[in-house]
mmCIF file of all heavy atoms in Angstrom:
data_model
loop_
_atom_site.group_PDB
_atom_site.id
_atom_site.type_symbol
_atom_site.label_atom_id
_atom_site.label_comp_id
_atom_site.label_asym_id
_atom_site.label_seq_id
_atom_site.Cartn_x
_atom_site.Cartn_y
_atom_site.Cartn_z
ATOM 1 N N ARG A 141 143.288 -123.396 140.505
ATOM 2 C CA ARG A 141 143.819 -123.135 141.775
ATOM 3 C C ARG A 141 144.743 -121.899 141.928
ATOM 4 O O ARG A 141 144.678 -121.071 142.746
ATOM 5 C CB ARG A 141 144.553 -124.306 142.446
ATOM 6 C CG ARG A 141 143.685 -125.380 142.914
ATOM 7 C CD ARG A 141 144.412 -126.496 143.566
ATOM 8 N NE ARG A 141 143.525 -127.610 144.012
ATOM 9 C CZ ARG A 141 143.772 -128.861 143.868
ATOM 10 N NH1 ARG A 141 144.917 -129.300 143.326
ATOM 11 N NH2 ARG A 141 142.778 -129.756 144.256
ATOM 12 N N GLU A 142 145.586 -121.741 140.838
ATOM 13 C CA GLU A 142 146.425 -120.575 140.726
ATOM 14 C C GLU A 142 145.642 -119.309 140.663
ATOM 15 O O GLU A 142 145.873 -118.311 141.208
ATOM 16 C CB GLU A 142 147.423 -120.722 139.607
ATOM 17 C CG GLU A 142 148.544 -121.823 139.856
ATOM 18 C CD GLU A 142 149.372 -122.016 138.636
ATOM 19 O OE1 GLU A 142 149.101 -121.372 137.565
ATOM 20 O OE2 GLU A 142 150.333 -122.786 138.782
ATOM 21 N N ALA A 143 144.521 -119.348 139.765
ATOM 22 C CA ALA A 143 143.671 -118.239 139.599
ATOM 23 C C ALA A 143 143.011 -117.871 140.905
ATOM 24 O O ALA A 143 142.875 -116.681 141.141
ATOM 25 C CB ALA A 143 142.654 -118.557 138.432
ATOM 26 N N MET A 144 142.506 -118.854 141.622
ATOM 27 C CA MET A 144 141.869 -118.533 142.852
ATOM 28 C C MET A 144 142.832 -117.917 143.902
ATOM 29 O O MET A 144 142.508 -116.937 144.644
ATOM 30 C CB MET A 144 141.268 -119.839 143.537
ATOM 31 C CG MET A 144 140.068 -120.233 142.793
ATOM 32 S SD MET A 144 138.688 -119.174 142.833
ATOM 33 C CE MET A 144 138.302 -119.215 144.640
ATOM 34 N N ARG A 145 144.051 -118.365 143.837
ATOM 35 C CA ARG A 145 145.165 -117.841 144.742
ATOM 36 C C ARG A 145 145.416 -116.339 144.355
ATOM 37 O O ARG A 145 145.579 -115.528 145.228
ATOM 38 C CB ARG A 145 146.441 -118.689 144.600
ATOM 39 C CG ARG A 145 147.407 -118.407 145.688
ATOM 40 C CD ARG A 145 148.601 -119.387 145.602
ATOM 41 N NE ARG A 145 148.117 -120.773 145.563
ATOM 42 C CZ ARG A 145 148.586 -121.649 144.689
ATOM 43 N NH1 ARG A 145 149.406 -121.326 143.725
ATOM 44 N NH2 ARG A 145 148.173 -122.921 144.716
ATOM 45 N N ARG A 146 145.499 -116.146 143.059
ATOM 46 C CA ARG A 146 145.720 -114.814 142.660
ATOM 47 C C ARG A 146 144.525 -113.812 143.033
ATOM 48 O O ARG A 146 144.633 -112.723 143.446
ATOM 49 C CB ARG A 146 145.948 -114.684 141.147
ATOM 50 C CG ARG A 146 147.329 -115.031 140.757
ATOM 51 C CD ARG A 146 147.719 -114.717 139.269
ATOM 52 N NE ARG A 146 146.727 -115.338 138.380
ATOM 53 C CZ ARG A 146 146.825 -116.573 137.875
ATOM 54 N NH1 ARG A 146 147.931 -117.318 138.115
ATOM 55 N NH2 ARG A 146 146.014 -117.048 136.950
ATOM 56 N N ALA A 147 143.365 -114.398 142.861
ATOM 57 C CA ALA A 147 142.110 -113.598 143.155
ATOM 58 C C ALA A 147 141.890 -113.253 144.613
ATOM 59 O O ALA A 147 141.357 -112.201 144.984
ATOM 60 C CB ALA A 147 140.925 -114.285 142.644
ATOM 61 N N THR A 148 142.519 -114.124 145.475
ATOM 62 C CA THR A 148 142.329 -113.871 146.944
ATOM 63 C C THR A 148 143.538 -113.103 147.558
ATOM 64 O O THR A 148 143.425 -112.765 148.745
ATOM 65 C CB THR A 148 142.161 -115.224 147.649
ATOM 66 O OG1 THR A 148 143.347 -116.012 147.474
ATOM 67 C CG2 THR A 148 140.841 -115.915 147.229
ATOM 68 N N TYR A 149 144.459 -112.861 146.738
ATOM 69 C CA TYR A 149 145.730 -112.116 147.260
ATOM 70 C C TYR A 149 145.379 -110.635 147.073
ATOM 71 O O TYR A 149 145.209 -110.168 146.022
ATOM 72 C CB TYR A 149 146.975 -112.507 146.492
ATOM 73 C CG TYR A 149 148.117 -111.769 147.052
ATOM 74 C CD1 TYR A 149 148.765 -112.094 148.157
ATOM 75 C CD2 TYR A 149 148.618 -110.684 146.205
ATOM 76 C CE1 TYR A 149 149.937 -111.300 148.548
ATOM 77 C CE2 TYR A 149 149.738 -109.979 146.630
ATOM 78 C CZ TYR A 149 150.404 -110.275 147.813
ATOM 79 O OH TYR A 149 151.462 -109.619 148.249
ATOM 80 N N HIS A 150 145.396 -109.854 148.162
ATOM 81 C CA HIS A 150 145.219 -108.422 148.091
ATOM 82 C C HIS A 150 146.624 -107.726 148.537
ATOM 83 O O HIS A 150 147.073 -108.055 149.484
ATOM 84 C CB HIS A 150 144.112 -108.048 149.057
ATOM 85 C CG HIS A 150 142.830 -108.709 148.697
ATOM 86 N ND1 HIS A 150 142.002 -108.268 147.692
ATOM 87 C CD2 HIS A 150 142.169 -109.766 149.293
ATOM 88 C CE1 HIS A 150 140.929 -109.021 147.572
ATOM 89 N NE2 HIS A 150 141.090 -109.941 148.567
ATOM 90 N N HIS A 151 146.859 -106.775 147.693
ATOM 91 C CA HIS A 151 148.172 -106.038 147.985
ATOM 92 C C HIS A 151 148.096 -105.218 149.206
ATOM 93 O O HIS A 151 147.402 -104.457 149.445
ATOM 94 C CB HIS A 151 148.512 -105.127 146.741
ATOM 95 C CG HIS A 151 148.602 -105.852 145.455
ATOM 96 N ND1 HIS A 151 149.605 -106.591 145.066
ATOM 97 C CD2 HIS A 151 147.653 -106.086 144.432
ATOM 98 C CE1 HIS A 151 149.381 -107.211 143.935
ATOM 99 N NE2 HIS A 151 148.185 -106.892 143.473
#
Side-chain angles (χ1 to χ4, degrees):
R141 285 187 180 137
E142 288 175 357
M144 289 297 292
R145 195 174 307 127
R146 281 192 303 272
T148 58
Y149 179 75
H150 301 284
H151 303 282

